[in-house]
Amino acid sequence: MDKLLPQIMAFPPDSTLSDTQYETQIKSLVQTLNRTPTSNLTEPTKDGEDPLDVSILQILDPTKHTLPYLYTLLAYARSTPEYQAKGTTKTVPVLDPRGEVFLKVAHFLEAFDPRQVRYAGVEFRKLIDIVLKSAKTAKKPLLAVRPLQMAILRLDPTPSTLTSTHVYFVRSCLEAKTYRAALPILDRDITEFPMAAQTLNSLTPVNKQAKWSYISTSSGISAKLTYAEHLQYHLYGAMVYIGLKKWERASEFLEFVITAPNAAARPKMPRPISAIVDKTIRAIAKPYDTIVDVFQSGDRQQLHREFEAGLNMWRNDNNTGLLYQVLESFQQFTIRSLENIYSTVSIGEISRRLSIDQETSSSDPFDVEQSVLKLISHSSLSATLSHPHPSFPEQAILTFSSPSHPPSSLTSHSTTDTNEEESHHPALSTHLQRLETLKAHIKRLDHKIGLSKDYIQWLHKANKEGEANTYGAGGNSNHGGGGGAGAGLDPGLGMGWYNDDAGLGGSDPATAAGLDPASIAAHDDLDATGMLDEDVMADL
């Protein structure tokens, strides 16, 4: 170790390197680390008694010496007695979450140099697998949430390129019920996918390449994504948004899943939904459609009857919680509708109106008051709540201040309008920022497609067809043939937004993934889908 340490700590040097020099030296370091036996990396220094206290991990800085630190962490993970007893090259080591090594792994994923990691993508992903399996073995998925979140954001701050780690991370958030932790990732729109055939360009320094160039399966930073995993990410994301009651975003993610091309119907251009998927979902969702219809009719008693009638189905689909949210939303809908009748109303009167069934909807004045306060705090209800007698919630008075009952004073009306306008500024800024980001992604994607092999082949084929049609029509141009029309194709249209053979899972992704539309309804069964690569699935 004493001989190896100066060699691996020599990079990066204190002096500034050119891109070419950086590339040369870091590749030489990777070769050295790959040749170094595991036992050498875990060997303590001469003056130490406790190997961990005086190991290379105590000397190296994970931000500065990212690659040696990464390789040493993997070496310690493989030196555990359990791994030594039955481990193979395809076995994912398991660390004790309470142990020092696991804590150092978590710290590393928050502090590593993303530029250096690009040269050791396979090893980096192995460390991610260790975190996932350790958390799974300990039955504590929460342990994997923050390390994975920080790893994704540090490697790609946008993070707009979908990787295998994205799928593992969102699923861990679901299993740990830490839905808000997933938002920094889910709130960013996915615009790129890791390219299977992409290799690092030796003529272009890695730090100056586009993210879609180095976040690829060939670099090892992401495992090969299947068609099913792409759908899983959006399905898990929809479930997170449902848990947070962010209905609009949840609907967007579910739309990705439902409208995805399938084996039975693969159109040349995207359509809202294929006929077979539409038919299958409608057959499965009839009881849910009934709930929707009754909700819209405003019949509270019928809504509760339908809920009770379908209780077994909601339980079998693991959607009972979602249906309870429907009942809660109906109660809130009823409260909001009272502003069309009253200018002021007591909590006691609202409670009496909401009394339907003591087993399904509590009419307790305190619960009603909490529902009203929640609506006001979420800006879903424009009203104020006053308490003549705090000890008696049924005597609290709700005063509506919606447009149907505007303030009488012109001054107060103007002030209200100004406040409402100012309250919309953050949302408008967020939407504008998102549009600017999408604009940049679309511009880059257009350039990327224009240089792709598929587009060039399509363009060449289109030109040939155009020439053939021009020749055929031009022979009769004196008789109104109009040869200049050609094939009627506009090369400027590019490939469009969908290519049958460009899917993540190959030319027949749905079949390859074994995806049955009926399984979408049972999406809460999280344990039905594997997390890691195929070569480590058996070990889990």
Side-chain angles (χ1 to χ4, degrees), residues 489-532:
L489 296 175
D490 182 4
L493 293 176
M495 293 172 63
W497 292 106
Y498 172 68
N499 183 347
D500 279 349
D501 298 324
L504 295 173
S507 59
D508 195 1
T511 302
L515 185 67
D516 181 359
S519 68
I520 295 176
H523 58 258
D524 284 349
D525 186 11
L526 298 175
D527 293 333
T529 307
M531 285 286 294
L532 303 177

Side-chain angles (χ1 to χ4, degrees), residues 145-207:
V145 171
R146 180 169 175 81
L148 264 63
Q149 181 198 67
M150 298 304 297
I152 294 172
L153 292 175
R154 194 163 181 83
L155 191 63
D156 177 14
T158 53
S160 57
T161 302
L162 182 64
T163 69
S164 52
T165 308
H166 282 65
V167 184
Y168 309 153
F169 166 70
V170 180
R171 175 169 169 169
S172 296
C173 290
L174 278 171
E175 293 176 330
K177 295 182 173 60
T178 55
Y179 304 137
R180 293 192 181 278
L183 294 184
I185 309 299
L186 291 175
D187 284 348
R188 307 296 181 94
D189 295 312
I190 295 297
T191 59
E192 306 283 353
F193 296 93
M195 297 297 183
Q198 184 67 40
T199 56
L200 293 176
N201 184 356
S202 60
L203 300 178
T204 305
V206 172
N207 67 306

Side-chain angles (χ1 to χ4, degrees), residues 89-358:
T89 56
K90 293 185 178 182
T91 304
V92 178
V94 176
L95 296 175
D96 182 358
R98 299 167 297 178
E100 188 71 18
V101 177
F102 186 89
L103 296 178
K104 289 186 178 297
V105 169
H107 174 64
F108 171 81
L109 293 176
E110 296 186 19
F112 68 87
D113 178 6
R115 184 180 180 184
Q116 292 188 41
V117 160
R118 299 174 191 177
Y119 294 86
V122 174
E123 286 69 26
F124 180 76
R125 190 157 50 84
K126 287 179 180 178
L127 199 66
I128 296 294
D129 288 349
I130 290 173
V131 172
L132 285 165
K133 187 174 180 181
S134 299
K136 183 181 180 68
T137 302
K139 297 182 179 180
K140 296 180 179 179
L142 181 62
L143 295 172
V145 171
R146 180 169 175 81
L148 264 63
Q149 181 198 67
M150 298 304 297
I152 294 172
L153 292 175
R154 194 163 181 83
L155 191 63
D156 177 14
T158 53
S160 57
T161 302
L162 182 64
T163 69
S164 52
T165 308
H166 282 65
V167 184
Y168 309 153
F169 166 70
V170 180
R171 175 169 169 169
S172 296
C173 290
L174 278 171
E175 293 176 330
K177 295 182 173 60
T178 55
Y179 304 137
R180 293 192 181 278
L183 294 184
I185 309 299
L186 291 175
D187 284 348
R188 307 296 181 94
D189 295 312
I190 295 297
T191 59
E192 306 283 353
F193 296 93
M195 297 297 183
Q198 184 67 40
T199 56
L200 293 176
N201 184 356
S202 60
L203 300 178
T204 305
V206 172
N207 67 306
K208 293 188 176 181
Q209 295 186 25
K211 291 188 296 295
W212 54 266
S213 296
Y214 64 79
I215 300 182
S216 62
T217 55
S218 56
S219 70
I221 289 178
S222 174
K224 182 179 180 181
L225 285 171
T226 66
Y227 181 84
E229 286 171 330
H230 167 243
L231 299 184
Q232 286 166 17
Y233 173 77
H234 289 95
L235 183 58
Y236 296 159
M239 293 164 67
V240 166
Y241 283 122
I242 289 173
L244 295 173
K245 301 183 181 180
K246 294 181 177 289
W247 309 116
E248 183 176 351
R249 190 66 170 165
S251 178
E252 290 180 15
F253 271 59
L254 287 174
E255 187 175 347
F256 275 110
V257 179
I258 296 174
T259 62
N262 58 83
R266 293 170 52 210
K268 294 183 179 180
M269 292 294 291
R271 296 176 182 174
I273 189 170
S274 67
I276 188 171
V277 173
D278 180 70
K279 182 178 180 181
T280 303
I281 292 178
R282 286 187 182 277
I284 296 172
K286 282 184 179 180
Y288 296 93
D289 286 338
T290 302
I291 291 288
V292 172
D293 294 337
V294 175
F295 187 101
Q296 293 175 342
S297 71
D299 189 334
R300 294 174 294 177
Q301 295 183 0
Q302 182 63 27
L303 178 64
H304 281 270
R305 283 195 292 268
E306 293 295 341
F307 172 80
E308 292 294 339
L311 195 56
N312 288 334
M313 182 175 185
W314 320 142
R315 288 172 178 168
N316 292 335
D317 291 347
N318 296 317
N319 283 332
T320 309
L322 182 61
L323 267 296
Y324 275 119
Q325 291 196 43
V326 171
L327 297 182
E328 180 182 344
S329 296
F330 186 84
Q331 176 173 298
Q332 295 173 357
F333 170 79
T334 303
I335 294 173
R336 287 198 301 268
S337 67
L338 293 178
E339 67 178 340
N340 298 320
I341 304 173
Y342 300 98
S343 60
T344 60
V345 62
S346 68
I347 292 297
E349 176 62 24
I350 297 175
S351 179
R352 284 189 289 273
R353 282 181 168 269
L354 294 176
S355 296
I356 305 169
D357 187 333
Q358 293 297 327

Side-chain angles (χ1 to χ4, degrees), residues 343-380:
S343 60
T344 60
V345 62
S346 68
I347 292 297
E349 176 62 24
I350 297 175
S351 179
R352 284 189 289 273
R353 282 181 168 269
L354 294 176
S355 296
I356 305 169
D357 187 333
Q358 293 297 327
E359 295 181 0
T360 56
S361 178
S362 173
S363 60
D364 187 289
F366 177 80
D367 292 338
V368 174
E369 181 185 21
Q370 294 303 309
S371 297
V372 169
L373 289 173
K374 184 184 296 184
L375 286 171
I376 295 174
S377 64
H378 291 170
S379 300
S380 298

